[in-house]
Amino acid sequence: MQPSHMSLSNTYGPGRFALSFELFPPKTDGGVRALAGHVRELMKFKPSYVTCTYGAGGSTQNRTLEIIGDVRKQHGVAVATHLTCVGSTRDQLRDYLQRAQGLGIENVVALRGDPPQGETKFTPVADGFSYANELVAFIRGEFPEMGVLVAGYPETHQEAPSADADLENLKRKVDAGGDAIITQLFYDNADFFRFREKCEELGITAPIIPGLLPVTNGAQIQRIASLCGAKLPSDFIAALEKYEDDPAGQFEVGVDFATKQSAELLEAGVPGIHYYVLNKSEATKRVLEAVEVPVGTPS
C-alpha cells in the first residue's frame, strides 16, 4: 500500500483536522513485535501521520528508520522521523535524510536535541548545527519536498532565558521553513491557550498542534514531567495519589483527565492533536473513543 506524499500545509489546511501519534524505537525484538500490535489498534482512528523519536545522541537512528518505514509500508500512512543536531555533522544529517527518503519517509520533526547523558550544556560538533532553526533551514534547502515539524513549549523551554526569548526562537524555526508546530506535553490547557495567543501576537502563523501524554502511571508521569518542565495540576496529583497502590485506578484517573483535556482543546478548534502514546494503545484508544475527533476531514 503506497501512501501519497503528505503536504503538511494541506494536512492542516482550513476545515481540516489532523490526528497524529508519536512512537519510540523499542530496545528489543519483542518490543518491536508488541509495538506492531499497538500500532494496528491506533490505526483504527485513521491518523494523518505517525512520528518516531530516536535515542540519546542518535543511538537508535537505524531502528527508528526501520520502525517508521515499516509503519508507512504496512499501513499506508504518512510518517515523520525525528532528527536532532546532537553529535551529527552536516554530511551525517544529509546521509540520514537520504536514507529516510529512500524508505518513503516524507517528513521530519527537526529538533536541536538534548545534551548527551552526563552533560548539562549542548555543544555542537564541528560542521554541525547549534540550533534547530539551522537544521530546519538545512532541510528546507537540501530536501525541499520534505515536510518539517518543529517543537513549541507552552511552559517555556527549560534552557530559555525567558518566555519571550523562547517564542523568538520558535519564530526563527518557523521562518526558516517549519510547516507546523507540535508542542511539548502539558497538563493545563490555559498554558496552551496563552502560548497560542502569544505566538499569534508575534506573527507566527504556522498551525500549532497540542501534544498530549495520557497518564497511565503516577510515578512515571511525575518523572517525565520533571524532565521536561511540565507542571501537573495539584488536583490531578491528588487524584493519582488517591490510587497510589492501585494501578488500574491511576489508569482511569489518567484517561479521564486526558479525555477532558482533549475535549476542551477540540472545542477550542485546534487543528490537530499529537498523542505521545509511549508505544501503548490502551489509554489513547480510550480517550479517542470518548471524544468526538473530526478525523479524516475531507478536502
Side-chain angles (χ1 to χ4, degrees):
M1 197 189 310
Q2 294 298 314
S4 58
H5 173 72
M6 178 188 95
S7 159
L8 287 165
S9 54
N10 289 343
T11 299
Y12 292 113
R16 288 171 167 270
F17 178 89
L19 177 67
S20 53
F21 302 124
E22 181 168 302
L23 314 173
F24 65 85
K27 291 189 168 73
T28 65
D29 291 341
V32 171
R33 284 192 295 275
L35 176 59
H38 289 295
V39 169
R40 274 196 300 277
E41 287 300 308
L42 292 168
M43 284 300 137
K44 292 174 183 174
F45 297 96
K46 298 185 167 50
S48 295
Y49 62 93
V50 177
T51 77
C52 190
T53 68
Y54 59 68
S59 56
T60 57
Q61 280 189 341
N62 288 336
R63 185 152 253 177
T64 292
L65 289 180
E66 275 171 41
I67 296 288
I68 207 65
D70 279 352
V71 168
R72 182 194 184 280
K73 199 165 144 193
Q74 300 288 329
H75 301 286
V77 65
V79 294
T81 175
H82 282 224
L83 186 62
T84 75
C85 304
V86 181
S88 292
T89 64
R90 287 165 202 249
D91 283 347
Q92 287 168 322
L93 292 165
R94 188 181 294 112
D95 175 63
Y96 183 84
L97 289 164
Q98 283 168 345
R99 281 190 291 143
Q101 274 196 323
L103 292 167
I105 296 165
E106 315 100 316
N107 305 287
V108 185
V109 181
L111 308 158
R112 187 205 68 181
D114 296 324
Q117 207 165 359
E119 294 179 31
T120 51
K121 193 171 180 296
F122 177 86
T123 311
V125 297
D127 199 35
F129 297 121
S130 303
Y131 302 103
N133 65 287
E134 297 170 333
L135 177 59
V136 173
F138 173 77
I139 298 165
R140 189 52 72 228
E142 298 214 9
F143 298 86
E145 63 286 2
M146 293 188 97
V148 182
L149 295 147
V150 298
Y153 300 87
E155 298 174 80
T156 304
H157 192 284
Q158 287 173 298
E159 290 179 41
S162 69
D164 286 346
D166 196 35
L167 286 165
E168 289 288 354
N169 187 47
L170 177 58
K171 188 168 192 315
R172 278 192 289 276
K173 292 190 284 191
V174 172
D175 290 349
D179 294 298
I181 299 158
I182 294 176
T183 78
Q184 176 67 274
L185 58 95
F186 60 91
Y187 289 93
D188 185 342
N189 285 349
D191 289 325
F192 173 80
F193 295 135
R194 194 164 38 245
F195 170 73
R196 187 170 69 171
E197 203 172 288
K198 286 183 174 173
C199 285
E200 283 167 10
E201 286 168 9
L202 202 58
I204 295 171
T205 56
I208 302 171
I209 320 307
L212 301 186
L213 171 59
V215 171
T216 56
N217 172 300
Q220 181 187 46
I221 194 55
Q222 299 244 28
R223 190 170 63 251
I224 291 171
S226 70
L227 283 173
C228 65
K231 295 188 300 287
L232 294 168
S234 54
D235 56 342
F236 185 33
I237 293 173
L240 288 167
E241 284 174 349
K242 188 177 160 191
Y243 293 97
E244 201 167 359
D245 300 318
D246 177 3
Q250 288 202 337
F251 181 88
E252 292 302 325
V253 167
V255 164
D256 183 55
F257 189 91
T259 300
K260 287 175 179 161
Q261 196 180 5
S262 298
E264 186 181 24
L265 290 164
L266 289 165
E267 204 170 305
V270 292
I273 297 182
H274 186 72
Y275 287 98
Y276 299 103
V277 300
L278 295 184
N279 286 12
K280 304 278 188 192
S281 53
E282 294 90 347
T284 302
K285 188 176 166 185
R286 284 274 304 279
V287 171
L288 292 173
E289 284 169 348
V291 295
E292 287 201 34
V293 180
V295 176
T297 309
S299 54

